[in-house]
Amino acid sequence: MSSSSKIPDYFLGVDGGGTSCRAAVSDRSGAILGRAQAGAANITTDPDGALQTILQVCRQALEHAGLAQDLELYPAYLGLAGSMTGQAGERLKPLLPFSFSEVRSDGVIALEGALGPRDGMIAILGTGSLFMARQGSELTSLGGRGFLLGDHGGGARLGRALLEECLLACDGLRPFTPLLEKTLAGFGNGLSGVISFAKSSPPSAFATYAADLFSSAGQGDEAAIQILSEAAHLINLSLDKIRFDGCDALCLLGGLSRSYDSWIAPHHRSLLKEPQGDGLSGAISLAIRTFG
């Protein structure tokens, strides 16, 4: 935005993830005037659906604020799951109708919301996963590569691992545990039902099995403990990789953040801090800073 441009009166922030997409509109001071939430907005797995969700949720936030819903009147800062994968973010940007727009990963806005101006690390543990550190002006990130090849520790990968264990048990290669029996019983067609589900379901559907994994691990289920131990190992390795000398803050974010508290290695757990805000507040902060 050029220095000669009129400073906008209002700003849109978007936090689009694999499970839900949220938008907010603020004034120049950062005061939130309207909010809205809709379904998933992953621009890698469903770019067309994500675009429609983004536009819908922005219009709803503007309606909630009592403002005109002409999106071309407003600048927007978007933090979107999948924008680090390939050229997804660059392909989306020309399709956005906003007066100005910036598309970054959901990690960038989450870090801003959680840490404010301070240095530190975040781990986003939701449907997918992303790890990011900020030291001064330098950002370091790992993950966010999508369900098929990345997102280790995220809910979708946990669900996939659980269903894989079910198939291995059916083949006699793993012992059945209470969790595996319960999961398999949820598919009316048994083995063929699991296979059919896997072929047609989005990452968010796989992630619905994560809660059962954590609760079953707490009850000593061997399959659940094995799956979560492997996931936690990769989470801790990722944090080891991005951690910098003098780092004194780590925020766990996302729908699984509380579930993973006890699985984080002690040398990282000692850094845990409560986040100051969330990704949506980070998106608004960056929108004002970028376009204001």
Side-chain angles (χ1 to χ4, degrees):
M1 187 171 178
S2 68
S3 59
S4 61
S5 300
K6 179 182 180 294
I7 297 175
D9 292 319
Y10 305 104
F11 303 83
L12 283 164
V14 177
D15 179 10
T19 302
S20 67
C21 180
R22 301 180 300 151
V25 57
S26 79
D27 60 19
R28 296 181 191 178
S29 73
I32 303 297
L33 306 176
R35 300 174 183 267
Q37 181 170 334
N42 190 309
I43 60 177
T44 299
T45 58
D46 183 15
D48 293 335
L51 174 61
Q52 294 308 310
T53 299
I54 290 165
L55 301 185
Q56 171 196 342
V57 77
C58 286
R59 291 191 182 101
Q60 290 174 344
L62 290 165
E63 180 181 18
H64 183 225
L67 297 172
Q69 297 172 46
D70 301 322
L71 298 181
E72 63 271 16
L73 298 176
Y74 309 94
Y77 199 105
L78 300 91
L80 305 176
S83 62
M84 295 177 66
T85 307
Q87 305 298 313
E90 293 181 17
R91 288 195 298 269
L92 176 71
K93 192 170 180 179
L95 304 177
L96 298 172
F98 308 108
S99 59
F100 302 94
S101 59
E102 182 71 25
V103 178
R104 299 292 301 275
S105 81
D106 50 347
V108 172
I109 62 169
L111 186 146
E112 175 78 11
L115 296 175
R118 75 182 296 176
D119 290 346
M121 302 188 295
I122 61 167
I124 303 177
L125 301 164
T127 300
S129 65
L130 180 68
F131 307 88
M132 185 170 287
R134 180 174 63 198
Q135 185 179 23
S137 60
E138 183 177 349
L139 289 176
T140 304
S141 64
L142 285 176
R145 293 172 180 150
F147 170 60
L148 293 177
L149 299 176
D151 285 349
H152 301 288
R157 286 298 294 257
L158 292 179
R160 192 188 98 169
L162 173 58
L163 296 184
E164 184 178 7
E165 288 297 310
C166 286
L167 299 189
L168 291 172
C170 287
D171 290 339
L173 303 177
R174 292 277 200 270
F176 269 106
T177 70
L179 173 61
L180 299 184
E181 292 173 347
K182 173 188 173 184
T183 303
L184 192 62
F187 291 89
N189 297 327
L191 186 64
S192 62
V194 175
I195 295 171
S196 177
F197 171 89
K199 286 181 177 179
S200 60
S201 297
S204 57
F206 283 86
T208 61
Y209 291 96
D212 277 349
L213 270 166
F214 284 101
S215 62
S216 295
Q219 298 166 9
D221 188 278
E222 292 182 2
I225 291 170
Q226 176 188 328
I227 291 169
L228 290 174
S229 294
E230 292 174 355
H233 177 65
L234 289 171
I235 290 170
N236 287 311
L237 282 179
S238 299
L239 292 172
D240 286 339
K241 187 67 176 178
I242 66 170
R243 185 167 172 170
F244 54 88
D245 290 341
C247 180
D248 63 356
L250 166 63
C251 293
L252 301 184
L253 311 172
L256 297 180
S257 57
R258 294 296 186 189
S259 300
Y260 269 118
D261 268 352
S262 62
W263 295 85
I264 300 300
H267 65 286
H268 293 313
R269 201 181 309 139
S270 65
L271 305 182
L272 286 175
K273 301 286 191 299
E274 285 296 318
Q276 297 181 22
D278 60 9
L280 191 55
S281 63
I284 287 293
S285 173
L286 287 167
I288 295 171
R289 193 188 312 168
T290 304
F291 305 118

